[in-house]
Amino acid sequence: MTAFYKIVEDGFVTGFGTNGSDEVTGITETEYNALADMIADRPTAPEGYAYMIQDDPREWVLVELPPEDPDLTADEAMEILLGGAE
């Protein structure tokens, strides 16, 4: 049986997936699919900002990114912010 989960930090969903551990919040398949749909339709943020999913209410929030690490691409930074869930 597949178990669905999300990780919430400071009010934002920072990751979600399947077959998590006791350290994550269990969710329904419906909630998992809703998060996946949001990620698929993620809006484009202006330079220096990213959209993150606020957990309650569930909506996109524009947040300012920390100064860039020259060894980290914008795509890598977004993957870190979203917990690699796409």
Side-chain angles (χ1 to χ4, degrees):
M1 181 174 170
T2 302
F4 301 93
Y5 72 91
K6 68 180 173 182
I7 301 169
V8 178
E9 296 177 19
D10 298 324
F12 291 96
V13 177
T14 58
F16 67 101
T18 59
N19 300 324
S21 69
D22 292 336
E23 299 168 5
V24 295
T25 303
I27 59 174
T28 65
E29 183 175 2
T30 300
E31 185 174 1
Y32 173 88
N33 290 334
L35 286 167
D37 289 344
M38 284 187 79
I39 294 294
D41 294 330
R42 178 177 56 226
T44 302
E47 184 72 29
Y49 291 83
Y51 277 101
M52 294 184 65
I53 299 174
Q54 182 175 296
D55 190 42
D56 186 26
R58 178 145 318 124
E59 62 187 11
W60 285 109
V61 175
L62 185 65
V63 296
E64 187 172 7
L65 294 173
E68 288 190 29
D69 179 341
D71 296 328
L72 191 66
T73 68
D75 288 337
E76 291 169 332
M78 182 57 68
E79 186 173 330
I80 291 168
L81 286 170
L82 296 175
E86 282 201 75

